[in-house]
Amino acid sequence: MDYFSGATFYIDKPVGWTSFDAVKRLRSELVRRLGVRKLKVGHAGTLDPLASGVMIVVTGRATKRIEELQAGVKEYIATIQLGATTPSFDLETEIDATYPTDHITRESVEQVLKQFTGTISQVPPAYSACKVDGVRAYSRARKGKEVNLKPKTLVIDEIELLECNLPEIVIRVVCSKGTYIRALARDIGEALRSGGHLTELRRTRVGDIDIASCTSIPEAVEAIRTSSVEYPDWYEGPRREDCARQ
C-alpha cells in the first residue's frame, strides 16, 4: 500500500472517541509501519465524541480531497428525547429544563418534521467547533461564557420518523454538510411547544459510503500492520528498511 500517494479508510467510529482520537490512532500505526516520523492523515467530516458511525480517514496526498469528500450528503439515525433540554443539546451536559409532552402525538411529530425538510436556517450549538473571534465555540461555552452564533443555511433532503415511543422519537435524516443534528433536536422540540435533546446519534452514510463499508478501528489497525509497504518514486525520506538497519 502506498500511503504517501494516498489511502482511504472507512471507519465506524465508536462512541467516546473524538474524530482526532481516531486519526491519531491510525497515524501512530502508519508511521510505525512505514518507519517515518510523520505522515499526513486527516478526516472528512467531524463526528462528536457521543456519536458513532461513518468516518472517512485519508492519508498522504489524498488529504487534498478532504473538502470534496466531506461535501457529500450525510445520513444519520438520531434518537431524540422530548420534554427536556440540555445546554449542549445532547448528553454531554445535564438537563437544565423540562417541559410538558402530554400534548404531543405521533401525528403532531410527523407534521413538525415536514417543516424541517428543504432549505432551512439553523443556529449551530454553542457547544460546537464553530469559531467566535478565532476561538472554538465549545471552549467558550464550557467556561460558562456567552456564545452568539449566526444562523447558517443548509439543506435537509429527507426526515423519516422511524420510531415514536413518546416522549422519545427516532428519526432518519439525510442532509447537507454543516447540519448539526443536535441543533435539529432542539428545534424539533421547540416546534412541538416542548423541549428536546439528542440521546444517541449514528452516521450511517457519507456520500456513497455507507456503514456496511466501514471497519472498526482495531480492524483498520490490523490491516495496516499486515499491509505491504510501498514508497512512491518521488519519496526521498526514511524508509522502514532504513530503520531496521539502525
Side-chain angles (χ1 to χ4, degrees):
M1 179 68 71
D2 182 353
Y3 296 109
F4 294 94
S5 296
T8 304
F9 295 89
Y10 304 127
I11 302 297
D12 182 354
K13 187 192 82 66
V15 173
W17 284 57
T18 66
S19 297
F20 178 76
D21 288 337
V23 168
K24 183 180 178 181
R25 182 68 186 89
L26 295 190
R27 183 193 290 118
S28 65
E29 200 60 44
L30 284 163
V31 296
R32 184 180 298 111
R33 178 65 176 154
L34 293 167
V36 298
R37 292 183 179 179
K38 61 181 180 180
L39 175 72
K40 283 187 177 180
V41 182
H43 65 85
T46 301
L47 265 180
D48 290 337
L50 295 180
S52 66
V54 180
M55 182 176 159
I56 301 176
V57 179
V58 290
T59 74
R61 291 184 172 180
T63 54
K64 295 178 180 179
R65 297 185 58 224
I66 284 178
E67 188 172 343
E68 168 198 341
L69 292 169
Q70 66 186 12
V73 169
K74 314 290 194 305
E75 180 184 74
Y76 297 90
I77 304 298
T79 302
I80 301 171
Q81 184 72 29
L82 300 171
T85 57
T86 71
S88 60
F89 309 154
D90 64 6
L91 296 178
E92 180 183 341
T93 54
E94 298 293 327
I95 290 173
D96 60 358
T98 57
Y99 303 85
T101 59
D102 291 343
H103 63 285
I104 301 175
T105 63
R106 182 186 182 95
E107 290 71 25
S108 64
V109 171
E110 290 176 334
Q111 286 301 312
V112 160
L113 293 182
K114 293 178 182 178
Q115 300 175 19
F116 294 96
T117 304
T119 301
I120 67 169
S121 179
Q122 183 187 78
V123 178
Y127 286 74
S128 69
C130 294
K131 288 189 176 181
V132 179
D133 297 328
V135 179
R136 298 291 185 187
Y138 62 73
S139 296
R140 298 175 64 91
R142 287 168 182 162
K143 293 176 182 177
K145 295 182 179 180
E146 185 177 355
V147 178
N148 293 311
L149 295 171
K150 296 180 180 179
K152 295 185 177 183
T153 300
L154 49 90
V155 177
I156 295 183
D157 297 305
E158 299 177 50
I159 299 185
E160 178 186 4
L161 181 62
L162 299 179
E163 297 178 28
C164 188
N165 301 308
L166 296 170
E168 181 182 270
I169 61 173
V170 179
I171 61 175
R172 182 180 69 89
V173 182
V174 180
C175 57
S176 65
K177 170 190 174 183
T179 304
Y180 283 93
I181 307 300
R182 287 181 287 138
L184 182 62
R186 168 204 61 195
D187 296 341
I188 289 172
E190 290 180 355
L192 287 166
R193 295 180 289 112
S194 183
H197 65 281
L198 200 63
T199 58
E200 189 174 342
L201 182 64
R202 184 157 176 78
R203 186 156 70 191
T204 51
R205 180 164 62 91
V206 175
D208 295 329
I209 306 305
D210 62 19
I211 196 66
S213 305
C214 297
T215 62
S216 68
I217 291 176
E219 288 172 334
V221 167
E222 182 60 24
I224 292 169
R225 289 176 177 173
T226 57
S227 66
S228 59
V229 176
E230 299 176 13
Y231 298 87
D233 294 338
W234 50 263
Y235 177 72
E236 298 179 350
R239 299 177 180 235
R240 186 168 179 267
E241 53 266 30
D242 298 331
C243 297
R245 288 195 293 267
Q246 293 177 357

